[in-house]
Amino acid sequence: MPTSTIELSGHIIDSMMLPRIFDAIMDLGGSFRVEEFRVGQSKDEPSYTRIALVHDTDDGLHAIVAACQQQGAVLVAARPVRTESAPRDGVFPDRFYSTGNQPTQVRAGDAWLEVENIEMDCGIVVEAGRARCVAVSEVRGGEAVVVGHDGIRVQPVERARRREIFGFMTSQVSSEKPKHLVIRELALTMREIRGRGGRICFVAGPAIIHTGAGVHLSALIAGGWIDVLFAGNAIAAHDIESQFFGTSLGIDLRNGLPIEAGHEHHIRAINRIRAAGSIAAAVEQGILRDGVMYQAVKAGIEVVLAGSVRDDGPLPDVVTDMVEAQRRMRAALPGVELCIMCASMLHAIATGNLLAASVKTVCVDINPAVVTKLADRGSSQTLGLVTDVESFLRELSECLATP
Amino acid sequence: MPTSTIELSGHIIDSMMLPRIFDAIMDLGGSFRVEEFRVGQSKDEPSYTRIALVHDTDDGLHAIVAACQQQGAVLVAARPVRTESAPRDGVFPDRFYSTGNQPTQVRAGDAWLEVENIEMDCGIVVEAGRARCVAVSEVRGGEAVVVGHDGIRVQPVERARRREIFGFMTSQVSSEKPKHLVIRELALTMREIRGRGGRICFVAGPAIIHTGAGVHLSALIAGGWIDVLFAGNAIAAHDIESQFFGTSLGIDLRNGLPIEAGHEHHIRAINRIRAAGSIAAAVEQGILRDGVMYQAVKAGIEVVLAGSVRDDGPLPDVVTDMVEAQRRMRAALPGVELCIMCASMLHAIATGNLLAASVKTVCVDINPAVVTKLADRGSSQTLGLVTDVESFLRELSECLATP
Amino acid sequence: MPTSTIELSGHIIDSMMLPRIFDAIMDLGGSFRVEEFRVGQSKDEPSYTRIALVHDTDDGLHAIVAACQQQGAVLVAARPVRTESAPRDGVFPDRFYSTGNQPTQVRAGDAWLEVENIEMDCGIVVEAGRARCVAVSEVRGGEAVVVGHDGIRVQPVERARRREIFGFMTSQVSSEKPKHLVIRELALTMREIRGRGGRICFVAGPAIIHTGAGVHLSALIAGGWIDVLFAGNAIAAHDIESQFFGTSLGIDLRNGLPIEAGHEHHIRAINRIRAAGSIAAAVEQGILRDGVMYQAVKAGIEVVLAGSVRDDGPLPDVVTDMVEAQRRMRAALPGVELCIMCASMLHAIATGNLLAASVKTVCVDINPAVVTKLADRGSSQTLGLVTDVESFLRELSECLATP
Amino acid sequence: MPTSTIELSGHIIDSMMLPRIFDAIMDLGGSFRVEEFRVGQSKDEPSYTRIALVHDTDDGLHAIVAACQQQGAVLVAARPVRTESAPRDGVFPDRFYSTGNQPTQVRAGDAWLEVENIEMDCGIVVEAGRARCVAVSEVRGGEAVVVGHDGIRVQPVERARRREIFGFMTSQVSSEKPKHLVIRELALTMREIRGRGGRICFVAGPAIIHTGAGVHLSALIAGGWIDVLFAGNAIAAHDIESQFFGTSLGIDLRNGLPIEAGHEHHIRAINRIRAAGSIAAAVEQGILRDGVMYQAVKAGIEVVLAGSVRDDGPLPDVVTDMVEAQRRMRAALPGVELCIMCASMLHAIATGNLLAASVKTVCVDINPAVVTKLADRGSSQTLGLVTDVESFLRELSECLATP
């Protein structure tokens, strides 16, 4: 019967690596024999186990090994990684290794190479002593792409040894929890990251403007708390609409009441920026004088406005080609340690797809379904907050304003 | 063919009375002939119309007349109201007139009597020159109950002539609107009502405690902003749990983290109050020293804790019989001009059932379905706010704290 | 330093007992020493561990022990259970042991007694060689109530060794899953249970009638698939309304269109049943001739209609006192092996409170929040299905109709 | 004081034109004088009114006129339409007339020209005796674009004179309604449209595949019920994944259980189609042998797969540029009379943006927020159905299968 032996070490019980591995083996119809097991006797001591995996078929065994690898198991008889040439631009070999978002290494010769820019659902290209994570749209014909499961080691980000909001509250989506303490801890995390020169990414949806929270996001940008802003056409258009007309989607932001014919304002705002040439040009020409996009131009942060098929206009700054938009988002992410996603399902999922599991992520939405959807995407470091985006940003901005 | 003639006056076009009447006639398969129509020439002038209704059948005509009455139409050939004796306690005559929650009058002899304590889905008892709205559970055998549709006049609360939050935003449930302005206007309305000696009712659900907003509700009560508090066993139990153990449903309110075995706290808290005899007794004995229920006892406001089948315990103050609970809630409502419902579907609907349409109502919940459900219940003065209850109460409390 | 030693055996890793125990110890600020660990070498072999627990304080250690007990750990130096007298009717001793819903035993002398009718958030009364689970409202003054944590053993229901819908899909609430296969398996489970004389409980909300699914629920009852029906005033009233008037909440069930003045129908239906005396009397008198309540009367199944404060009427069969309603529901539950909850948050939570963890539970609602809320309540055997209740009942009824 | 006179005719009261006009005037701070009013005396007779509008300022009056025009009012002293040249490609003149989605005419000389391909938030280009609706991204420098409000006539689609599902149930989003009757009527409408050679557009989201409803959508396509399919990368990828691997997003479609490592399947499926060159090529090469995309290729219907920034891959058939994707969608819409949108917020909104108000639209989603969002977008003919997409498609497919 096809057999493989894996080993696993660390906090393998309470970090859920071992329970998940036992689950996977049983779900996939395999069986196992625990050959060695040393349990950490106290909470700081690591455990170790070596397990022989058995399945009736080679394919079944491969599936089990793949599942165990994603949980951090390593094949004992580690052969070097194997590669095949990409048949042509934009196509992987059929048996390519599909990445997860956890730190991953490949064994080339005797060395383990760290896969650079790890990201879910990609391939690994090995070249000149380096291993890179590459999206299928970016692979070039002839590049050496990793296939099969040999010579691969995944090192899941471990659960923190102490109680903290990230990791601990993973998948907590309830609106029925106290949130101000979480926001205070988030502010602390932001101070720490900025203190050590780390970068913070913010993903923003249009409800930020509709709810009147644009001023708080503007303040965060002006205060230097945001290094990278990912958004779409809608939030930029409504932010600019609110500067030009005092409305957002036709609602008067001073009193919350709809303005007849106000629904035209966003398309008029877009047209004026198109006339100016770009948002930055509108700032230079003195046409746009405040708001989120103004502050982003002034602060010189990296902005990627990715288009979507429902866009009106769009604004001239919007990247309308989706492959190009992903490329620019990837280029902006290195160095990012924290990602805050507010009221934007589309852009939040798009960003989540690109993030390594080691990036702390906070997803804020009033709709629990959005928070659940993101938490399901597999980052072990996602904190979901079901709350009103306006009150979230107001509190966060207050916490950061006082030193 | 069966025919009746109705008349209608006031702002019948923009208050939607006339469009709804035309709808009803067509939906019910009837036809009509407009006999007279005088349109108000400017926005402050009332309009008037007299319409002959026709239907193939008597039953169909009755249904049309009933629908038109609910919109404020009056039968031209107004006969006096007709009554039949209630066959026995708790039972109406089969053809009883079922009330709406709009101001309603009945014609007895030449006089129109105002129906007292109007409330939806009840009957009208006429007795000694007075007309009372009576729930089916409260009617006594032999009382004269209104039947049919003769001699009845409904006067719908009209839409305000100016833009204001109540009425205007009716049925607005979006979370994507600016809310701080609405909260500021609500605070103004509360000041006005208190200024003229009106009463304010608050309906409270347990998420107020879970989210850490208990301190804000306590402050509102201590500040004299609430005259009547309707709630259930859960909020009282978790409020008291938070005073005894610092937790709510086992979550530590200081840091938002779950406490192992903390889920027992609420039942322990309930047991202690049962041992003390009542919440008020626990306050007197110095066992309960702060929180929402403590402040309610201290302020001496009217509290009705209505039980439900999912209650643990319950607390000794909870009214466990539902008919008795409705009776006490009804008794507390006269004089109430504003009702604020927060994070409680069950008690909010129960209260909504008892409220006259003239009572301004605000329903706050993070779940749009709750807000929609309440708005559908037919009060023309319901304002729905989809937002986080903690941030709502914090802001409202801040607005009211500064004079 | 305060120390206790626990032991644990079974499938302690993949059933999550051990990971949860390590979590609890760390969350509560304790530490541990693994004194012995034998891992099951294959998937059918049990594991065993003995762990010394340490905490700075006695209270902290007690909390840790309590948490470990809920996961199935047993104190090694097991002293007999301790009891104190209930101070008076309806009050437990302050340090009472608060039950979970997992099978629980208490040690009296040398014997372990199984706690009868186990249910969450109750106390345990030991008397004459028997241990009974008792709600606080039911305890009599002077009864011997278990206090502290000595002499208690919890035996969590283990995860199935094979892939099956119950247990396996625990907490799965997604609407984006294939549901017809789950429904087919549920039908199989129902056949099995009926085959061995087990009982099935159905908890029903009014949307069943509103969506036109009353015919399917009627068919299930007529087919003998339901032994116990828990519901409220609303579903019974709308079911009877639909028989009398063809509407549900004023919507014509033949075409889905609202009927003007149809909102009165439910209160008229209630009044007629009040006039008849009871639902059964209305059936006898030939007034009520079909529908869910008719079939329930005809089939002679146990029905508990528990009231709520939002009820109109109510129907004469509704139990209006909530403590009495819980008492009747408890009395109906022995022998129930499966509980299907459809479109009723209030009654589903009320029932969930009363169920032992060993009862398989299916919760069906179109609102994921309801399903999540129930799954959070701690039964390890709850399967959540986010779907339309009409299509669920239609499919289930079709599956059961064909032998 | 600035004054304009409008006139309005048709079923202006029950179609809500007049109530909305009165609302708009008051909301915008204007006043009015009704100069003439003739009410239709019976339900089939049209009404007519002529109203003088007054406002303190020219801008205010323009806003009122604009709002009245959207409701179908026409300026009495109709001057011809005015145009200005587009300053350059992709930019409208600043005062451009922003379109609604109702049938619209412009007056050029003595003739009223129908605006072709009417769509929301666009401009109108007048050229060579024709008027075209043009998106801002499509306008060419120098084209004559309509500015201001003179010479414009909007003719809102009127509410049906009889009870029917479209129009009647507009904005009805409740899950608590009977749905099978609506589905039966929808099937009838589809037969009628196909009978007269009209076209049907289907907008599809990935939950169709996840829930196992792909077979029903395939059957609709194979049966000739769909002429145009709008979708994204996800549904196509998961449909193809289900053909290659039997899974959708890693869930086994035969039993609803997750498959370890199954999350890779969709990216493997995408890679294979990229290797084949296109979906059609994969069909030709015999690689793809069934499913939604296979049937679409076989039936030769028009398919637009519009990309999004969250796409993996994407499939080679996906249009990655959003402006191009909108262009292709617009090109496919002429002749479409019915649009069915299932489980896709992004593509449903994108399509809704492009549809004329005269196209009947059905939006099906289990999430009421999606249905509300679409209904808010202003089509007067949108029917929202909150239900499970699998059961919707199964029933619709059954209704259409039986002649």
Side-chain angles (χ1 to χ4, degrees), chain D residues 245-261:
Chain D
F245 301 100
T247 61
S248 187
L249 207 59
I251 303 294
D252 189 327
L253 290 178
R254 287 159 315 181
N255 58 19
L257 299 176
I259 288 189
E260 290 295 333

Side-chain angles (χ1 to χ4, degrees), chain D residues 35-317:
Chain D
E35 298 185 339
E36 190 178 344
F37 196 99
R38 291 195 304 269
V39 72
Q41 289 196 285
S42 66
K43 72 175 176 176
D44 295 317
E45 256 176 61
S47 302
Y48 169 85
T49 187
R50 192 175 68 249
I51 301 173
L53 308 172
V54 188
H55 197 278
D56 296 344
T57 66
D58 275 326
D59 278 1
L61 185 62
H62 278 152
I64 290 176
V65 168
C68 294
Q69 279 185 329
Q70 289 305 319
Q71 301 302 335
V74 186
L75 283 170
V76 169
R79 275 172 290 193
V81 81
R82 288 189 303 140
T83 62
E84 288 177 20
S85 290
R88 66 167 193 278
D89 282 9
V91 182
F92 287 141
D94 196 53
R95 293 184 50 253
F96 74 100
Y97 172 82
S98 171
T99 55
N101 64 0
Q102 299 283 3
T104 301
Q105 299 177 324
V106 297
R107 181 165 173 175
D110 288 343
W112 286 100
L113 305 176
E114 188 73 30
V115 179
E116 300 167 15
N117 300 323
I118 192 71
E119 172 189 331
M120 271 191 290
D121 295 327
C122 291
I124 299 172
V125 168
V126 180
E127 196 179 33
R130 291 174 57 197
R132 287 180 296 121
C133 187
V134 174
V136 67
S137 56
E138 306 298 324
V139 74
R140 298 296 119 217
E143 287 184 325
V145 177
V146 172
V147 294
H149 289 98
D150 284 322
I152 291 175
R153 187 159 74 186
V154 177
Q155 297 178 299
V157 177
E158 280 202 7
R159 193 193 132 169
R161 293 282 89 192
R162 60 180 185 87
R163 290 155 71 88
E164 59 160 38
I165 58 165
F166 292 101
F168 191 89
M169 292 188 75
T170 293
S171 300
Q172 296 285 344
V173 301
S174 169
S175 60
E176 299 200 345
K177 294 281 162 58
K179 270 145 297 208
H180 47 281
L181 307 147
V182 175
I183 295 171
R184 215 182 303 161
E185 277 216 45
L186 174 60
L188 277 178
T189 303
M190 291 173 76
R191 286 186 195 282
E192 278 172 32
I193 288 173
R194 193 163 72 162
R196 66 172 171 257
R199 282 152 58 87
I200 297 172
C201 174
F202 197 98
V203 182
I208 292 172
I209 308 300
H210 301 332
T211 57
V215 289
H216 307 306
L217 180 52
S218 297
L220 289 183
I221 295 171
W225 294 104
I226 296 175
D227 301 281
V228 177
L229 178 66
F230 290 166
N233 184 61
I235 181 172
H238 293 300
D239 169 58
I240 295 167
E241 172 194 349
S242 74
Q243 298 304 317
F244 288 173
F245 301 100
T247 61
S248 187
L249 207 59
I251 303 294
D252 189 327
L253 290 178
R254 287 159 315 181
N255 58 19
L257 299 176
I259 288 189
E260 290 295 333
H263 67 92
E264 304 172 9
H265 290 166
H266 76 285
I267 189 74
R268 294 197 181 285
I270 290 167
N271 190 56
R272 281 195 204 162
I273 301 297
R274 288 177 76 100
S278 72
I279 296 171
V283 170
E284 269 167 49
Q285 295 163 28
I287 296 170
L288 181 63
R289 301 203 198 95
D290 205 349
V292 171
M293 297 316 298
Y294 170 87
Q295 295 295 353
V297 168
K298 282 296 175 191
I301 65 175
E302 286 188 63
V303 177
V304 181
L305 299 180
S308 94
V309 68
R310 73 183 163 205
D311 289 348
D312 288 318
L315 289 163
D317 308 69

Side-chain angles (χ1 to χ4, degrees), chain A residues 90 96 268 271 274 320-321, chain D residues 90 92 96 268 274 320-321:
Chain A
F96 74 100
R268 294 196 180 284
N271 190 55
R274 288 177 77 100
T320 60
D321 185 82
Chain D
F92 287 141
F96 74 100
R268 294 197 181 285
R274 288 177 76 100
T320 61
D321 186 83

Side-chain angles (χ1 to χ4, degrees), chain B residues 373-386:
Chain B
K373 208 156 195 168
L374 260 158
D376 281 357
R377 297 247 138 194
S379 169
S380 60
Q381 300 287 68
T382 298
L383 167 64
L385 269 186
V386 177

Side-chain angles (χ1 to χ4, degrees), chain A residues 34-35 43 54 62-63 67 70 104 111 114 133 181-182 184 223 238 253 272 291 293 295-297 332 334 354 359 388:
Chain A
V34 177
E35 298 185 340
K43 72 174 173 174
V54 188
H62 278 151
Q70 289 305 321
T104 301
E114 187 73 29
C133 186
L181 307 147
V182 174
R184 215 182 303 161
H238 292 300
L253 289 178
R272 281 196 204 163
M293 297 316 297
Q295 295 295 351
V297 168
L354 306 178
V359 178
D388 188 87

Side-chain angles (χ1 to χ4, degrees), chain A residues 320-388:
Chain A
T320 60
D321 185 82
M322 296 303 96
V323 174
E324 176 62 17
Q326 290 179 348
R327 210 172 274 144
R328 294 213 199 161
M329 289 167 73
R330 275 189 192 102
L333 283 174
V336 165
E337 299 184 26
L338 172 68
C339 185
I340 303 173
M341 300 163 164
C342 272
S344 166
M345 185 150 72
L346 176 62
H347 293 90
I349 292 177
T351 306
N353 286 347
L354 306 178
L355 290 178
S358 56
V359 178
K360 286 169 173 26
T361 306
V362 182
C363 174
V364 182
D365 207 290
I366 203 161
N367 183 348
V370 172
V371 175
T372 305
K373 208 154 195 171
L374 260 157
D376 282 356
R377 298 246 136 194
S379 169
S380 61
Q381 301 286 68
T382 297
L383 167 64
L385 268 187
V386 177
T387 193
D388 188 87

